[in-house]
Amino acid sequence: MMITPKKDPMGAAIADFHRLGKAARLRVFSPDFDEDEIPVATLFRSFEEMPTLEQQALQMARGRILDVGAGAGCHSLCLQEMGQTVTAIDISPLAVETMTARGVHDARQQDFWSVEERYDTILMLMNGIGIVGSLNELPHFFHHLQQLLADGGQLLLDSSDICYLFEDEEGIIELPGGTYYGELEYQMQYKSIKGDAFPWLYIDFETLADSATTHGFTAELIQMGDHYDYLARIVKQGK
Ligand code: SAH
């Protein structure tokens, strides 16, 4: 799946911010929650401005690196400065254009699911695993990861256990029944550009680790963040 500029609100926001140093509101809608907003400037964060979890991930990256859903390229640019070799992919044409203009040497408009080369490190930061959409897709995801990772290769990702969204005034968490509570639906809008709705997964570490193990990987909790977030490493077993 690839998106066109007409349906690329995030890309338009990124391109505006790059050109003008500011952007309008990047709005996020979800049937489950009140309207929200992504501060566009945060997509342009420097190493110093990044959360510790992300800094840690960048320091652990090695070998041939793939930055999945690279956005404005903040992580790829840091890695280049650290002397690393990185390929940045994004389905947004405007994001890719902006990354190239900002100096990302190898930025490609490509869908994660169609990547065929192998990498030693795959980065999915800022909840990049969101693109998996639902728990049902995890087997498909791990199967693809098996193809993408070189032997001993690693996936570094951060996500959140969003159980806190279901906390009442007394601090008691009551999770909804039915589908997994981390499966959200999002839609974004920038100025008059509205994207299609898409599924977006947040996953708690336990659930992620169980699935990783089932599919022949090892999962390691590297670090906990301040608010139900974490950095994990998924390693492909050698033969
Ligand atoms: N990683 C960046 C951007 C996060 S926003 C950061 O931390 O700042 C998520 C990005 O993933 C968006 O730019 C979106 O276009 C991209 N994306 C969504 N689905 C994708 C897919 N299937 N393959 C590659 N990129 C994808």
Side-chain angles (χ1 to χ4, degrees), residues 3-222:
I3 46 184
T4 59
K6 272 191 185 152
K7 290 207 164 179
D8 185 11
M10 184 174 244
I14 287 173
D16 266 7
F17 192 88
H18 173 64
R19 271 189 306 127
L20 312 166
K22 62 184 168 113
R25 295 189 319 127
L26 179 56
R27 302 160 70 191
V28 181
F29 307 95
S30 168
D32 307 308
F33 306 105
D34 293 338
E35 182 179 334
D36 204 357
E37 215 174 288
I38 298 178
V40 181
T42 63
L43 299 171
F44 289 76
R45 60 202 179 280
S46 64
F47 184 85
E48 289 70 32
E49 293 165 334
M50 285 173 190
T52 324
L53 295 186
E54 293 184 4
Q55 295 179 343
Q56 173 81 34
L58 293 179
Q59 271 149 353
M60 290 170 71
R62 52 165 186 80
R64 292 193 63 202
I65 303 166
L66 180 69
D67 183 1
V68 178
C74 58
H75 300 112
S76 289
L77 287 168
C78 284
L79 288 166
Q80 285 182 183
E81 264 182 46
M82 294 159 83
Q84 303 278 22
T85 307
V86 57
T87 297
I89 60 163
D90 205 293
I91 53 171
S92 152
L94 293 166
V96 174
E97 229 178 83
T98 304
M99 282 196 271
T100 303
R102 296 184 74 210
V104 175
H105 302 315
D106 185 8
R108 309 176 188 175
Q109 192 193 358
Q110 194 172 9
D111 185 338
F112 168 72
W113 300 105
S114 73
V115 176
E116 285 179 347
E117 288 166 59
R118 282 185 182 245
Y119 294 89
D120 302 298
T121 299
I122 295 178
L123 290 177
M124 297 180 106
L125 297 180
M126 201 173 163
N127 197 56
I129 196 159
I131 65 175
V132 174
S134 71
L135 291 190
N136 282 340
E137 290 296 319
L138 279 176
H140 179 204
F141 172 69
F142 281 114
H143 182 76
H144 188 46
L145 199 60
Q146 195 72 35
Q147 314 300 311
L148 287 189
L149 282 178
D151 283 338
Q154 57 175 350
L155 162 68
L156 300 169
L157 70 113
D158 62 338
S159 190
S160 300
D161 181 352
I162 59 167
C163 64
Y164 63 85
L165 289 175
F166 307 96
E167 193 176 282
D168 65 19
E169 288 92 63
E170 273 114 64
I172 295 163
I173 292 175
E174 206 169 315
L175 298 174
T179 55
Y180 177 62
Y181 62 88
E183 295 176 355
L184 302 186
E185 187 182 278
Y186 279 164
Q187 187 163 22
M188 294 197 285
Q189 182 172 353
Y190 181 74
K191 295 178 176 167
S192 61
I193 305 165
K194 207 165 184 161
D196 290 330
F198 57 93
W200 191 249
L201 176 70
Y202 286 91
I203 189 166
D204 66 281
F205 177 73
E206 210 80 327
T207 306
L208 175 72
D210 279 354
S211 184
T213 311
T214 305
H215 293 93
F217 295 82
T218 48
E220 213 183 315
L221 180 64
I222 303 294

